[in-house]
Amino acid sequence: MILKEAFRYQNYLSSLFVQATSYLSREDFITTTTQNHNRSMVNPDAQDEKISVPKMFNVDYKPNDLINFVVKLIDEKQKLSNAIAEAKKSLDIDVDAAMSMNNTKQDFISVLRKMVVIKPSESDKEGTSYKFNNDGDQVLYRYPVKEVKTIDYDRNAVKGLISKYKKETDEISTERDRIDIMTDVDYTPVWEVDTPLEDILVPE
């Protein structure tokens, strides 16, 4: 399989793991509850009865089936991870490091884009204060305020950084796409991708 398929299969295995362990995390799935109705202790004429409390899950597999499956699933995920790591060794770049840096640069681009749209501006507002009138009383008065907003950075330099990092991240993304479809991973899937958990545990 190619690297792109390997990543997709890796996500599929992770999804199966979450589904399987969610069952095993439910006490009402991994236990059986019985009730002993000791009626004769109170009413000698009544019969005692042992009742199994119905389970909430209507499935054809047991906890041990899921435990064994998760063990196999972990083994397969480890094999796939090892195969992906081995395939990456043949690459000219460290894909994980490159994509991590791409994410950092893209986050910075988002900040820079917000900065570059801010422009200097002026606006008229109104201020208030108090003064004493001729009678010695303190009275409120209003006065005009001219508010001037200036930017404290070089907008052209910010635009330049956006162009620089956009070009770099695009190049890495393109290279990543090429790597994903050109790099072989030495791994053979044991299940068809997207096969439901139920179909794996209870094959037709």
Side-chain angles (χ1 to χ4, degrees), residues 2-21:
I2 60 174
L3 194 56
K4 184 175 183 178
E5 294 170 333
F7 287 136
R8 183 184 178 204
Y9 198 74
Q10 196 173 47
N11 290 335
Y12 167 61
L13 294 182
S14 296
S15 174
L16 288 177
F17 179 82
V18 170
Q19 292 178 61
T21 54

Side-chain angles (χ1 to χ4, degrees), residues 11 25-26 29 31 46 55 62 64 74 83-84 98 102 104-105 107 114 141 143-144 148 162 174 181 187 202:
N11 290 335
S25 299
R26 293 286 301 266
F29 176 75
T31 62
K55 287 180 175 283
K62 306 295 183 188
N64 280 333
I74 289 174
I84 290 173
N102 245 29
T104 298
K105 291 175 182 178
D107 288 343
K114 291 177 182 177
Y141 71 95
Y143 58 91
V148 179
I162 292 173
T174 299
I181 62 175
Y187 175 82
V202 188

Side-chain angles (χ1 to χ4, degrees), residues 12-182:
Y12 167 61
L13 294 182
S14 296
S15 174
L16 288 177
F17 179 82
V18 170
Q19 292 178 61
T21 54
S22 68
Y23 277 108
L24 295 174
S25 299
R26 293 286 301 266
E27 187 173 334
D28 51 347
F29 176 75
I30 61 176
T31 62
T32 296
T33 302
T34 57
Q35 297 175 345
N36 292 316
H37 292 251
N38 300 309
R39 300 184 181 96
S40 62
M41 294 178 65
V42 177
N43 179 7
D45 296 327
Q47 288 187 338
D48 294 339
E49 185 180 10
K50 186 176 183 178
I51 299 174
S52 293
V53 178
K55 287 180 175 283
M56 295 290 293
F57 298 92
N58 184 24
V59 292
D60 294 326
Y61 40 86
K62 306 295 183 188
N64 280 333
D65 297 327
L66 279 170
I67 291 171
N68 295 333
F69 171 72
V70 172
V71 170
K72 180 176 177 61
L73 184 63
I74 289 174
D75 289 342
E76 287 303 317
K77 196 166 185 183
Q78 186 65 63
K79 289 178 187 175
L80 179 57
S81 295
N82 293 343
I84 290 173
E86 194 63 32
K88 287 180 178 179
K89 289 180 181 178
S90 65
L91 303 176
D92 296 332
I93 65 170
D94 184 332
V95 177
D96 295 333
M99 293 310 297
S100 177
M101 283 307 305
N102 245 29
N103 291 337
T104 298
K105 291 175 182 178
Q106 287 167 345
D107 288 343
F108 190 36
I109 288 172
S110 296
V111 173
L112 295 175
R113 281 180 170 157
K114 291 177 182 177
M115 293 177 66
V116 81
V117 298
I118 297 175
K119 297 179 180 179
S121 63
E122 292 186 4
S123 59
D124 294 319
K125 296 191 174 183
E126 188 176 68
T128 61
S129 189
Y130 291 89
K131 68 175 181 177
F132 289 99
N133 61 16
N134 295 333
D135 297 327
D137 298 324
Q138 193 177 44
V139 294
L140 175 73
Y141 71 95
R142 302 179 188 278
Y143 58 91
V145 174
K146 175 72 73 173
E147 183 175 276
V148 179
K149 181 189 293 183
T150 59
I151 58 173
D152 301 330
Y153 52 89
D154 186 339
R155 291 181 76 245
N156 289 329
V158 170
K159 289 180 180 179
L161 285 173
I162 292 173
S163 296
K164 174 181 181 292
Y165 288 130
K166 183 70 168 61
K167 181 180 179 183
E168 291 176 3
T169 55
D170 285 348
E171 287 174 353
I172 291 297
S173 295
T174 299
E175 178 64 10
R176 171 62 188 272
D177 290 341
R178 186 192 69 79
I179 287 171
D180 282 356
I181 62 175
M182 298 297 291

